[in-house]
Amino acid sequence: QVQLMETGGGSVQAGGSLRLSCVAPEHIYSTWTMGWFRQAPGKEREGVAAVDSDGATDYADSVKGRFTISRDSDKRTLYLIMNSLKPEDTAMYYCAADPWSGVVAAVIDADFELRGQGTQVTVSS
């Protein structure tokens, strides 16, 4: 039962930009903390960014100033706008949601109750 649907991703050169989108059911979008995490082959899961239902946000240090997480309530959509991409940003990116975590814990732990199927982001040098 798929509840989080990601789109976006793809291949880009270093310095480029991409936007990821994630549509969620209303009950998740309106009350849960939502975010993005990523995982590269052979590496641990890494929390990227999170936003709660009040609009509070948090980011991993590695993406601060380059990535922006945002929400569109009319579309029940979560976005991750990625600028100044680097080869080390290459990973599978997952949209995720959790009913209990705050944004700081969500980024630190990247332990979400729900996640999407993931979308690949590849940044070439």
Side-chain angles (χ1 to χ4, degrees):
Q1 184 178 357
V2 178
Q3 296 198 64
L4 301 176
M5 297 283 292
E6 305 117 329
T7 57
S11 297
V12 66
Q13 289 190 328
S17 299
L18 285 172
R19 186 181 78 166
L20 307 182
S21 302
C22 174
V23 180
E26 177 60 30
H27 73 284
I28 290 175
Y29 180 88
S30 61
T31 61
W32 292 27
T33 291
M34 295 190 69
W36 299 88
F37 69 90
R38 65 188 181 187
Q39 190 161 22
K43 294 188 177 181
E44 292 187 357
R45 177 185 302 188
E46 178 187 20
V48 175
V51 58
D52 67 16
S53 57
D54 292 326
T57 60
D58 195 40
Y59 296 88
D61 288 342
S62 59
V63 306
K64 280 181 181 176
R66 300 188 298 122
F67 290 12
T68 302
I69 190 169
S70 65
R71 298 155 58 104
D72 185 331
S73 296
D74 290 340
K75 299 179 180 179
R76 291 184 283 111
T77 300
L78 178 74
Y79 298 103
L80 184 68
I81 301 165
M82 305 182 291
N83 296 320
S84 302
L85 282 161
K86 304 175 181 180
E88 51 264 43
D89 294 318
T90 295
M92 186 72 81
Y93 283 71
Y94 296 88
C95 174
D98 193 87
W100 300 287
S101 292
V103 291
V104 174
V107 172
I108 291 174
D109 298 332
D111 185 17
F112 296 87
E113 180 74 14
L114 290 175
R115 72 175 197 184
Q117 295 184 347
T119 185
Q120 178 68 37
V121 171
T122 302
V123 184
S124 58
S125 58

